[in-house]
Amino acid sequence: MSSQKQAEEAIVPTFNESEHGEGGRTNEEDEEPVLSMKSLLWHGGSAYDAWFSCASNQVAQVLLTLPYSFSQMGMLSGVLLQIFYGIMGSWTAYLISVLYVEYRSRKEKENFSFKNHVIQWFEVLDGLLGPYWKAAGLAFNCTFLLFGSVIQLIVCASNIYYINDRLDKRTWTYIFGACCATTVFIPSFHNYRIWSFLGLGMTTYTAWYLTIASLVQGQVQGVTHTGPKKLVLYFTGATNILYTFGGHAVTVEIMHAMWKPQKFKYIYLLATLYVFTLTLPSASAVYWAFGDQLLTHSNAFSLLPKNGYRDTAVILMLIHQFITFGFACTPLYFVWEKAIGMHDTKSVFLRALVRLPVVVPIWFLAVIFPFFGPINSAVGALLVTFTVYVIPATAHMLTYRHASARQNAVEKPPFFLPSWTGMYMVNAFVVVWVLVVGFGLGGWASVTNFVKQIDTFGLFAKCYQCPKPVVPAQPPQLHHR
């Protein structure tokens, strides 16, 4: 048998272990018919599943806040920055996929088995660059996912309030916190097949509802479009768009759930191109219709007329927030399981029980900071900048800094940029741009805006940006002598 044949037989079984890994198929399930209902709805690991997961995870509550960002920075900047950050985000997702394959290949040569173990981004950094990078990846990723989950709860409360305002938003946050806690029963990203498919369908409906409803509504009387007006608002809006295309915190987990993770390379770009068909028309149409009114309405639903179409969009977004909450929380569940030594537990109910402590601080933070528009921008500037852009680009440069590493690289530079020097130049540009514009200027603007919201509404705000109740005029009192 040739050495090449032996190498192929050694690699194929180990790379396919991802389908037998944590939350994947068991030996018993491998014997099921290919078209069984259980495998059709539950066990996703194809490139199509990964595409649905990436697209569904990108488009969530940002659909409702992008018109707000457009009002802060103007139509032209809003459109151009969406395209710019979408392409940049796709590039760094590609880098993460390359580093994942490199790490996994090296570990397989050491006969390391990934059965019942989900590879995560901080482990890739640890294996390729050492413990300090592991600590940085773990800190930024977990904090990002924590606040990403917080945002989902806040948005649930904000959205349902537009259907039923008999309860305030804080009470709705309590209710949806309990509902979203049920995601502890979903083992891993293998099991999000049907949820990812439905989630993308829901956001597609919502995006086109926002577009069509705004065009049918037409421009409100006296509409103005003064953005960009202030630097603080401009860079706050820009970092919210940066956040929009920053779903990379779950990229490695999605890859690991694939039967053939090598196919992931361009999936994120294809998902982003579809996302453009949702975000660009909806944000532009809503901003065209309502203009500067959006500066005080971070949720686009608040300005559209109440009717069956809007209520349907709200309900669909509520279901999607549940799905996105699960997407953001699942990597946190994995980290917690590994920390307490329960990651290889096969009992779904036992794992659900040990995961519950992860949900409690998320629930609490959602009650403390109920303003999700400013939180989006703050998370984008302080966390997404490093998690999504700076760390992947820098890690790629350091991993392949030596000639021997480049020569033995599992993944060579892409066909559209075949030079290692070119890759280094693109990575260096990403790092400098994001540090200066995203973290520097964006961080200053977002924190300033966030503090302003706290000063205006206070912590534990009972009903953030709710219309003030109309106090009936008191009849004049007659004074009798």
Side-chain angles (χ1 to χ4, degrees), residues 99-115:
L99 294 173
Y100 169 88
V101 172
E102 182 70 37
Y103 165 78
R104 184 156 186 171
S105 176
R106 293 184 186 182
K107 297 298 286 186
E108 286 172 351
K109 291 176 182 177
E110 301 170 5
N111 295 320
F112 189 89
S113 173
F114 294 107
K115 189 172 183 178

Side-chain angles (χ1 to χ4, degrees), residues 236 374 377-378 381-382 442-453:
T236 299
S377 299
L382 304 179
W444 160 73
S446 300
V447 171
T448 301
N449 190 37
F450 189 71
V451 171
K452 180 182 176 182
Q453 299 298 319

Side-chain angles (χ1 to χ4, degrees), residues 61-62 64-65 68 150-152 154-155 158-159 162 169 240 298-300 369-377 464-465:
Q61 87 291 336
V62 290
L64 310 178
T65 59
Y68 169 64
V150 168
I151 290 168
Q152 306 313 315
I154 297 171
V155 176
S158 177
N159 288 347
Y162 297 117
K169 291 182 181 180
N240 185 40
S298 56
N299 189 326
F369 304 111
F371 14 89
F372 74 93
I375 286 183
N376 276 3
S377 299
Y464 172 70
Q465 286 190 344

Side-chain angles (χ1 to χ4, degrees), residues 284-297:
S284 301
V286 176
Y287 178 55
W288 169 82
F290 297 101
D292 292 344
Q293 287 188 25
L294 288 158
L295 289 170
T296 54
H297 295 80

Side-chain angles (χ1 to χ4, degrees), residues 326-403:
F327 266 107
C329 260
T330 298
L332 293 176
Y333 295 152
F334 293 156
V335 172
W336 176 246
E337 289 168 359
K338 293 172 184 177
I340 63 175
M342 298 292 288
H343 188 55
D344 58 352
T345 302
K346 295 182 179 180
S347 170
V348 173
F349 290 99
L350 182 57
R351 290 181 66 191
L353 185 63
V354 300
R355 286 174 170 190
L356 281 175
V358 177
V359 179
V360 175
I362 295 170
W363 207 349
F364 185 64
L365 288 170
V367 175
I368 297 178
F369 304 111
F371 14 89
F372 74 93
I375 286 183
N376 276 3
S377 299
V379 169
L382 304 179
L383 298 173
V384 174
T385 47
F386 286 94
T387 301
V388 174
Y389 301 97
V390 174
I391 291 179
T394 307
H396 188 274
M397 289 191 287
L398 293 178
T399 298
Y400 298 106
R401 64 189 181 277
H402 299 304

Side-chain angles (χ1 to χ4, degrees), residues 22-36:
E22 178 63 38
R25 300 181 180 211
T26 63
N27 292 332
E28 180 183 347
E29 289 165 344
D30 281 333
E31 298 174 0
E32 293 182 51
V34 175
L35 295 178
S36 72

Side-chain angles (χ1 to χ4, degrees), residues 94 98 265 405-415 420 423:
Y94 167 78
V98 168
K265 287 187 290 186
R406 295 193 294 272
Q407 185 177 359
N408 299 317
V410 178
E411 291 282 348
K412 303 300 182 182
F415 69 91
W420 284 101
M423 291 198 72

